[in-house]
Amino acid sequence: MAQSADASKRLFLHIWLRDGEDSHIHNHRWDFTSTVLRGALRNTIVQVGPDGDGPLYTVVQHRPVEGGFRFDRTGGRPVHISSRHTVVQAEPVEYAMGALTLHRVQASYGTMTLVVRGAPWREWADVLIEAPVENGERPLIPLALEEREQHLRRALEVLG
């Protein structure tokens, strides 16, 4: 990760280390622009409301903490998906997304994006959870230095 001198923007490499989708529908604390360097993403953009189809979700706040993140269900409201729209972004494409856009991402192993995110403008992101979830902190699992170096080399190869 790199950041601008005033810390208003950060640049980071995002690599999917397994096939599948992000585990939950979510939004972010910041607006961002992303370039798909390798592979493709399927972003399913959703709208929520009290009525809709499918399962009932609880809106949970996701907050960063030292070494991980924290889920906070306090005041989490129940919602349904009222509409969805899937967009495929394949290499080499650039796309942008606003902080409040609720989405779920699917990508195959090795998909690689270069992300420029703006400064956070709130302290949490929203996550939609189907199953019961307990409040509390969860650790992030860092990659070993050798694995980070390997991924950075691959990104540099793609960038030429």
Side-chain angles (χ1 to χ4, degrees):
M1 178 182 67
Q3 70 181 28
S4 60
D6 65 357
S8 64
K9 293 184 177 58
R10 290 188 178 184
L11 174 69
F12 62 95
L13 182 64
H14 189 177
I15 300 173
W16 275 258
L17 300 177
R18 63 179 182 263
D19 287 332
E21 61 189 3
D22 283 352
S23 58
H24 303 292
I25 297 168
H26 64 281
N27 58 25
H28 296 275
R29 299 182 309 128
W30 52 79
D31 300 330
F32 70 91
T33 300
S34 181
T35 301
V36 180
L37 300 175
R38 182 185 339 180
L41 302 175
R42 289 175 45 91
N43 269 308
T44 300
I45 312 301
V46 301
Q47 300 292 322
V48 298
D51 300 316
D53 64 344
L56 188 65
Y57 292 91
T58 300
V59 179
V60 176
Q61 290 183 349
H62 176 280
R63 297 174 182 271
V65 295
E66 185 67 35
F69 62 93
R70 174 179 182 75
F71 277 146
D72 185 359
R73 288 183 25 168
T74 307
R77 65 192 189 285
V79 296
H80 286 280
I81 303 300
S82 57
S83 70
R84 59 180 62 77
H85 173 74
T86 299
V87 178
V88 176
Q89 287 104 0
E91 66 177 275
V93 70
E94 184 176 295
Y95 71 97
M97 194 172 291
L100 296 180
T101 304
L102 286 166
H103 63 286
R104 177 177 274 165
V105 181
Q106 291 179 305
S108 59
Y109 173 81
T111 295
M112 188 181 298
T113 60
L114 195 57
V115 181
V116 177
R117 71 174 212 202
W121 53 274
R122 61 184 186 161
E123 295 179 8
W124 73 91
D126 299 310
V127 179
L128 276 57
I129 306 285
E130 286 182 71
V133 64
E134 292 184 24
N135 288 342
E137 294 184 11
R138 286 136 174 99
L140 289 177
I141 302 169
L143 294 176
L145 178 60
E146 300 81 26
E147 193 172 358
R148 281 194 309 242
E149 288 174 350
Q150 181 183 31
H151 291 303
L152 286 171
R153 275 191 214 94
R154 287 183 184 147
L156 290 171
E157 289 171 8
V158 170
L159 289 170

